[in-house]
Amino acid sequence: MINSENITQYIKDTAVHGDIYTDEEIFKQEMTSIFEKTWVYVGHESEIANSGDYKTTVIGTHPLIVTRDSDTDEVHVVFNRCRHRAATVCQQEKGNANYFRCAYHGWTYSNNGDLTGMPFQDGYGEEFDRCKMGLIKVPRVGIYQGFIFASLSEEGPTLEEHLGNARPYIDYVVNTCPEGISLNAGAHKYRFDGNWKLQVENTIDPYHLSVTHRSFFNLMSKKTGKKINFSKMHKNEKIRDLGNGHSLYELDGDLGIGALPFNLIVFPNLGFLGSQVRVTWPVSVNKTNVFLYPIMLKGASVEENAARLRKHEGFYGPAGFGTVDDLEVGFDRVMEGLNAKGKDGEWLEISRGLEREEVDEKGIITATSSDEVSARALYKAWKKLMTADDSNVETRGKKHEPTVGRP
């Protein structure tokens, strides 16, 4: 059994154990201790811009609907589960509707979640209170600069406290254009057979750029006549641990893959990079969904936004270079390699640059861009949440036996 005490066997300051990517018990505890405890990104206001708009999403393994109230324009986040027999009441990815009707027995809910009716209501007794049978709302919803977050926990830090040092960089993204941004251009979607943390780690990992994506940068050099000096680049660039699992990668110039001058991870499932918002959704211990939403500039010309899309597609699109390289080399081969369990060989290093970290007066840790500051930031937050009091966490599964190579 995995619990808040023995989970520490899987993580050190300088390395993480391979089982955290493959163990189903650890995945289940991540869903409970991380995704059900902290703030999770669920959508952007531009995706539900009009009264009655909605989108479906998830927090961990919980299906949800994010809606804009038809009467008040208030944003609601409700569980996508009929109060009668638990069937999901909305199957569409997005749309506009004044109500959601369960296709099983016809219970019908307004788009604020209230139960408005059901067939043959006279079959219920006088004590049945329809007002108490609406779709369950998540305990907390917060919106920062148009980005909608929800928490399944009634307690904990406020959204502003959770975002902390990441807020100025979200502000930067939004202020890219005087009229703001929108995420309504659709999304690139992919699923890979690997653990969700591989994608989050990969969002800030400049160390792999000159190796995994060498073919892309060689082509860029031929196209532009400029060759990137990666050694010089890494010395000039910085990665910062912003706290709470968030981290920042500050680029030294234009790499030709997007408009933002930085990559930003907002733990646990949101990323900003290139010209996109990246959302990572765990499905199971070895399956992950990823949606990439191109950032469109409100009020910009069609040509300017089209140019942003073409650059985004060139590296991150399905026919581009970056994503396909990462899927094969960074995810598929890692998951395959994790099956090799030789003695003392099951730990994955995250120690690079540890001895040259600098800490400023705000406690922000900084090192060069080839260093693994971001991975260490991620796993500090991961460890903090996974080792929090889990007295209310359901005991699950069979006895867990640590494998070889434990410290």
Side-chain angles (χ1 to χ4, degrees):
M1 180 186 74
I2 295 293
N3 56 46
S4 60
E5 294 182 358
N6 61 29
I7 193 66
T8 58
Q9 299 175 82
Y10 297 86
I11 189 164
K12 298 185 286 190
D13 292 340
T14 58
V16 294
H17 194 274
D19 283 359
I20 70 168
Y21 303 97
T22 61
D23 188 292
E24 291 188 2
E25 284 192 52
I26 292 176
F27 176 81
K28 289 178 180 177
Q29 181 151 341
E30 289 175 337
M31 296 303 100
T32 301
S33 298
I34 297 175
F35 283 85
E36 294 181 10
K37 297 298 183 185
T38 191
W39 290 96
V40 178
Y41 174 73
V42 295
H44 188 265
E45 284 193 296
S46 62
E47 297 179 90
I48 52 168
N50 302 307
S51 300
D53 283 355
Y54 69 85
K55 66 169 289 187
T56 51
T57 186
V58 295
I59 289 182
T61 56
H62 299 271
L64 304 172
I65 312 172
V66 183
T67 78
R68 187 175 291 279
D69 196 304
S70 293
D71 298 322
T72 67
D73 270 352
E74 184 180 357
V75 173
H76 306 282
V77 182
V78 297
F79 287 94
N80 189 2
R81 169 179 170 145
C82 182
R83 295 297 302 280
H84 179 218
R85 300 297 294 273
T88 55
V89 299
C90 181
Q91 284 70 49
Q92 303 302 315
E93 185 177 316
K94 61 181 181 179
N96 184 284
N98 290 325
Y99 64 88
F100 303 106
R101 186 172 187 268
C102 179
Y104 196 2
H105 297 92
W107 284 38
T108 303
Y109 305 87
S110 69
N111 64 9
N112 66 9
D114 290 344
L115 178 63
T116 58
M118 73 284 280
F120 316 120
Q121 297 184 36
D122 57 352
Y124 291 96
E126 294 182 354
E127 294 184 356
F128 182 86
D129 187 350
R130 200 169 68 182
C131 294
K132 297 181 179 178
M133 296 300 286
L135 298 175
I136 300 294
K137 295 183 177 180
V138 303
R140 293 191 293 168
V141 177
I143 301 175
Y144 185 79
Q145 292 279 31
F147 293 89
I148 306 168
F149 295 80
S151 173
L152 301 187
S153 174
E154 295 180 352
E155 302 176 344
T158 65
L159 176 60
E160 288 70 23
E161 290 170 338
H162 170 70
L163 295 176
N165 294 317
R167 286 182 295 173
Y169 302 98
I170 299 176
D171 296 344
Y172 180 95
V173 174
V174 174
N175 294 328
T176 300
C177 180
E179 297 183 35
I181 63 168
S182 68
L183 304 184
N184 57 4
H188 286 137
K189 308 168 187 175
Y190 55 90
R191 170 180 285 195
F192 64 91
D193 294 332
N195 188 267
W196 66 278
K197 297 187 293 295
L198 295 176
Q199 178 66 93
V200 179
E201 293 173 16
N202 175 267
T203 299
I204 296 184
D205 177 21
Y207 190 27
H208 81 287
L209 289 179
S210 62
V211 182
T212 305
H213 304 304
R214 177 176 293 276
S215 58
F216 173 80
F217 289 110
N218 284 344
L219 284 173
M220 288 293 293
S221 295
K222 290 181 179 178
K223 181 179 179 181
T224 64
K226 298 178 181 178
K227 188 174 182 179
I228 297 176
N229 183 332
F230 283 97
S231 178
K232 179 182 178 183
M233 184 191 85
H234 287 314
K235 291 179 180 177
N236 292 337
E237 294 180 335
K238 301 296 181 185
I239 296 184
R240 305 188 193 282
D241 174 352
L242 301 178
N244 297 338
H246 317 321
S247 57
L248 181 79
Y249 162 40
E250 296 177 338
L251 282 70
D252 181 32
D254 184 4
L255 290 176
I257 59 177
L260 288 175
F262 56 76
N263 292 11
L264 173 67
I265 292 174
V266 178
F267 184 81
N269 72 326
L270 177 62
F272 298 84
L273 62 164
S275 300
Q276 64 173 287
V277 168
R278 173 185 284 174
V279 186
T280 302
W281 288 330
V283 177
S284 66
V285 67
N286 59 3
K287 291 190 184 301
T288 301
N289 286 341
V290 183
F291 281 20
L292 313 181
Y293 297 88
I295 300 171
M296 297 290 94
L297 306 181
K298 288 183 177 178
S301 67
V302 172
E303 291 76 13
E304 184 176 357
N305 274 326
R308 292 171 67 89
L309 281 172
R310 298 295 88 78
K311 182 176 283 190
H312 163 80
E313 293 163 350
F315 191 73
Y316 296 103
F321 286 80
T323 299
V324 292
D325 286 342
D326 289 331
L327 286 171
E328 179 181 349
V329 180
F331 307 156
D332 290 349
R333 294 186 188 180
V334 170
M335 291 301 292
E336 182 182 11
L338 288 169
N339 291 318
K341 297 180 179 294
K343 184 179 180 181
D344 297 330
E346 297 185 65
W347 290 85
L348 287 75
E349 278 291 319
I350 58 171
S351 65
R352 185 174 171 80
L354 183 62
E355 295 181 354
R356 56 188 176 197
E357 289 182 346
E358 297 178 354
V359 184
D360 70 12
E361 66 278 3
K362 294 182 179 179
I364 295 175
I365 300 170
T366 301
T368 70
S369 71
S370 68
D371 296 338
E372 290 161 333
V373 176
S374 179
R376 291 192 287 275
L378 190 162
Y379 285 106
K380 276 189 284 188
W382 185 91
K383 181 180 178 181
K384 180 179 179 181
L385 288 167
M386 293 286 279
T387 57
D389 179 15
D390 65 348
S391 58
N392 295 320
V393 175
E394 181 184 1
T395 300
R396 319 175 183 81
K398 60 185 180 182
K399 181 180 179 181
H400 196 273
E401 296 292 345
T403 52
V404 297
R406 204 73 63 228

